[in-house]
Amino acid sequence: MFAASARRLLFLSLALTLAVASTAGAQAPAAPPPPPPGWTGSIGGGLAITSGNSDTSTTNVGYDVLKDHGTNVIFKSTGLLLKGSNDGVSNVDRSQADARLAYTLSPRLSAFGQTTFARDNFKAIDYILAPTGGLSYKVVATERTEWMTDGSLGVVFEKNKGLDVDTSGAIIAGEKLTHAFAEKTK
């Protein structure tokens, strides 16, 4: 009788062990990391029309683009076109665009090359083209806050109406501070 009870207890503990082991092995595998974002961007436009003592209208179109495939290289570009008139006479006609290719050297340091283009009809600027290269450093890099500074050296080509192209050196410095107040609010 003791041998039969021992066999039943052994059989029951073996069955229980196999059941626990099979449910532990059946747990879902860890989720794979999310894919890199690839291309992201936005485009926007606006129109403002007023009338009264004078009739004004302003139109604008802007874009921003980011390409990130999860490597050390990130491409960003932004642009804006702005046109306006007052009583049917044009008073604003300008555009601007830039492109930046950055290579991450460390979690806080990046090297980049960028080109800036600008045009302003009312300031008699046919174009300004400024290709530069430099370094960017994240002074603060937390989950919610990022403060980044950068500096670059390059050249500026400026063409004004009725004048030859003027070429000079360029020194550009900048900073950017972002803070996330909530998951989708910065």
Side-chain angles (χ1 to χ4, degrees):
M1 181 152 143
F2 176 74
S5 296
R7 269 189 250 135
R8 277 189 229 145
L9 186 58
L10 180 62
F11 179 73
L12 186 59
S13 65
L14 182 61
L16 188 60
T17 302
L18 288 174
V20 169
S22 67
T23 58
Q27 290 178 357
W39 285 100
T40 60
S42 65
I43 188 166
L47 172 65
I49 300 173
T50 63
S51 62
N53 291 342
S54 63
D55 296 331
T56 64
S57 68
T58 306
T59 58
N60 67 70
V61 177
Y63 77 90
D64 66 46
V65 174
L66 173 72
K67 182 179 182 186
D68 180 1
H69 282 294
T71 65
N72 289 350
V73 179
I74 295 176
F75 171 77
K76 293 191 314 186
S77 180
T78 62
L80 176 67
L81 172 65
L82 183 61
K83 291 189 172 260
S85 66
N86 187 6
D87 289 328
V89 178
S90 183
N91 62 358
V92 176
D93 182 8
R94 65 177 163 211
S95 57
Q96 157 284 306
D98 59 59
R100 179 175 176 138
L101 188 64
Y103 181 80
T104 303
L105 301 170
S106 75
R108 290 186 179 255
L109 184 65
S110 297
F112 66 88
Q114 70 182 17
T115 298
T116 301
F117 169 84
R119 176 194 66 77
D120 193 325
N121 193 36
F122 287 92
K123 292 184 179 176
I125 300 172
D126 287 338
Y127 66 84
I128 296 175
L129 184 63
T132 63
L135 295 173
S136 176
Y137 183 73
K138 292 180 183 175
V139 178
V140 176
T142 66
E143 189 174 313
R144 296 182 62 184
T145 304
E146 183 176 275
W147 176 27
M148 194 165 73
T149 63
D150 60 42
S152 61
L153 299 173
V155 64
V156 175
F157 303 98
E158 183 173 351
K159 173 69 173 92
N160 295 318
K161 292 191 186 318
L163 300 173
D164 291 336
V165 175
D166 181 33
T167 305
S168 59
I171 299 174
I172 299 175
E175 66 180 336
K176 179 180 178 182
L177 174 65
T178 57
H179 178 74
F181 295 100
E183 184 178 333
K184 296 185 179 184
T185 305
K186 286 188 178 186

